[in-house]
Amino acid sequence: MSPGAIAETMGAKNGNIDVLLAKQGKVDKLQLRRRVEFRQATQTDAKMDLLRKKYKPVNDTGAKTKANGVHKVIAGEEQSSESNGLLDRSGFRRPAHSLFPAERLTTGWKTVRPIGPGLNNLGNTCFLNSVLQCLTYTPPLAEYMLARVHSDSCCAGDNCMLCKFEAHVGRALSKRESASISPKSIVGRLKMVAKHMRIGRQEDAHEFLRLLVDAFQRSLLTGIDSKIDRRIQETTLTHHIFGGYLQSQVSCSRCGYDSNTFDPLLDVSLDISGSTIAKGLRSFTRPEVLNKSNRYKCEKCARLVDATKQMTIYQLPRILTLQLKRFSAFGGKINRFVEFPLALNVKSYISKNSPESGPFDYNLYAVLVHSGGSARSGHYYCFVKSPAGVWYELNDSMVHQVSERTVLKQSAYLLFYERCGAPNPRHSTDPVTASPNKPKKE
């Protein structure tokens, strides 16, 4: 090889491959300008993580795997979410960032306040009134709303449902109203919560609760890249308060391999075939045997096997909302009384592989009740525990004090529990903020 050729080859090795190709006539300058340049990803790829967990390269001697099939290091490729500290031992993928700093939330009330006013019924709005009252007396949410942090930096404009709720909480709890108030700003925007709901028509309170929290979530994600990782979307204010994670684990009876799937938890719906909440939770987490025609194809055995499937709580929410399935698909109602406690311990319903270390105790602070024969008829009202620790019945505009015994006798539809001494989440809480497009207040 001539000295000139050697020099050109050495130049190629030093990164001047474009020069070498151009001199040899193998590529023109136009093609070089069109060359695709790759950059390191800034977001985790959920689909790729699942594939890395499920498959192992047949010709890769440099790959190291764990017993559960999650790849830790793959030669020649970028490290997986686990090697970046995002994937735990159970395969749960933690968010790379948090949109909301959880340390801003409090447990319990900061200040002892009197009970607020009742809410006027604006035409079959008892479902809405009862949900608003339960949320208004949710301590971490109410305290954050009273600080008016959200509205000061909101990007969603006048139609932000969380801003309207913040104003409602401020009016309801800032001072003792001598008369009931009307939640017109929220009722008037019912279509923004759900397009199928109509003013003047009775709706299901649980459905409205879920859709209202979803509306809060949309407001909080305004100004945030819509393509942001789903796990990061689940780190907003609403998810830090109401959110946790369920684990569905399928265990192979042949090799013992565990396949884990995780889903966000905003409430738990319980069958009421039993007479207590404890029985409902045991039924919810009871293992299911997969056999005969319902056998499971094990990823490790690569064959159909008998297996056990179990749903448990992997990550506990700060606020645990329990819905009792009182309404059937045909519109009928189950009126059976279900006993519920003032203090609830959930340790027995936690995943065995969960990183949760406690506390596992919750205190009841609100009960929503339905009276009538179906979800679309009848009447909704609620019982809440005031910041002073006193129970009240809130029935539209009517407010009066009741005893704990009265509360515990109710045929509950929704139960709201607050976790005792809720710890901050273990994942990163570095906030990712939206671009400020709201003018500062004068």
Side-chain angles (χ1 to χ4, degrees), residues 8-23:
E8 288 180 350
T9 303
M10 293 299 294
K13 290 182 178 180
N14 291 328
N16 297 323
I17 188 67
D18 293 346
V19 176
L20 180 61
L21 291 173
K23 286 185 177 181

Side-chain angles (χ1 to χ4, degrees), residues 182-220:
S182 298
K184 293 180 180 179
S185 61
I186 296 177
V187 173
R189 290 171 174 80
L190 186 61
K191 286 286 186 181
M192 294 181 57
V193 177
K195 293 182 179 180
H196 67 278
M197 290 188 174
R198 300 178 183 176
I199 299 175
R201 186 177 69 184
Q202 180 75 290
E203 304 289 353
D204 177 49
H206 175 247
E207 181 184 12
F208 175 73
L209 170 64
R210 286 279 59 84
L211 292 171
L212 182 60
V213 172
D214 287 346
F216 293 167
Q217 175 76 349
R218 291 194 298 272
S219 296
L220 292 167

Side-chain angles (χ1 to χ4, degrees), residues 96-334:
H97 306 283
S98 181
L99 298 175
F100 178 82
E103 58 270 16
R104 291 185 182 178
L105 297 176
T106 62
T107 299
W109 295 94
K110 289 182 179 179
T111 307
V112 176
R113 303 173 184 273
I115 193 69
L119 303 180
N120 294 321
N121 191 315
L122 303 180
N124 286 329
T125 58
C126 58
F127 72 95
L128 181 147
N129 289 347
S130 57
V131 169
L132 286 183
Q133 294 287 32
C134 290
L135 292 179
T136 298
Y137 292 93
T138 298
L141 178 61
E143 289 288 1
Y144 190 76
M145 293 292 98
L146 289 170
R148 298 188 63 82
V149 177
H150 171 73
S151 59
D152 288 343
S153 58
C154 179
C155 306
D158 185 59
N159 289 326
C160 172
M161 290 305 300
L162 194 55
C163 283
K164 301 306 176 185
F165 179 72
E166 181 185 270
H168 172 80
V169 173
R171 183 180 179 188
L173 297 181
S174 61
K175 61 180 181 178
R176 180 66 181 265
E177 295 273 356
S178 58
S180 57
I181 60 177
S182 298
K184 293 180 180 179
S185 61
I186 296 177
V187 173
R189 290 171 174 80
L190 186 61
K191 286 286 186 181
M192 294 181 57
V193 177
K195 293 182 179 180
H196 67 278
M197 290 188 174
R198 300 178 183 176
I199 299 175
R201 186 177 69 184
Q202 180 75 290
E203 304 289 353
D204 177 49
H206 175 247
E207 181 184 12
F208 175 73
L209 170 64
R210 286 279 59 84
L211 292 171
L212 182 60
V213 172
D214 287 346
F216 293 167
Q217 175 76 349
R218 291 194 298 272
S219 296
L220 292 167
L221 292 177
T222 301
I224 303 293
D225 183 2
S226 60
K227 297 181 181 179
I228 197 169
D229 181 63
R230 180 170 59 88
R231 279 288 188 264
I232 297 178
Q233 293 182 30
E234 293 161 3
T235 62
T236 59
L237 169 69
T238 53
H239 278 269
H240 274 303
I241 293 178
F242 299 101
Y245 286 93
L246 291 172
Q247 173 185 271
S248 175
Q249 183 178 83
V250 181
S251 301
C252 175
S253 60
R254 184 172 182 269
C255 69
Y257 177 82
D258 293 332
S259 175
N260 301 327
T261 304
F262 303 93
D263 292 300
L265 156 73
L266 288 173
D267 61 33
V268 177
S269 295
L270 301 178
D271 291 321
I272 56 175
S273 55
S275 58
T276 66
I277 287 296
K279 289 182 179 179
L281 286 168
R282 284 199 295 270
S283 176
F284 182 79
T285 57
R286 182 178 296 121
E288 175 189 359
V289 177
L290 305 178
N291 57 14
K292 298 181 180 179
S293 62
N294 196 28
R295 300 180 84 195
Y296 166 73
K297 186 172 183 180
C298 176
E299 298 174 7
K300 193 172 182 180
C301 298
R303 58 183 291 183
L304 291 174
V305 297
D306 290 348
T308 302
K309 181 180 179 180
Q310 185 176 24
M311 183 78 73
T312 50
I313 302 175
Y314 188 77
Q315 187 178 104
L316 288 169
R318 189 179 293 263
I319 297 297
L320 176 62
T321 307
L322 301 178
Q323 181 225 4
L324 281 70
K325 297 180 182 179
R326 293 200 173 275
F327 303 109
S328 69
F330 302 101
K333 182 184 175 183
I334 303 172

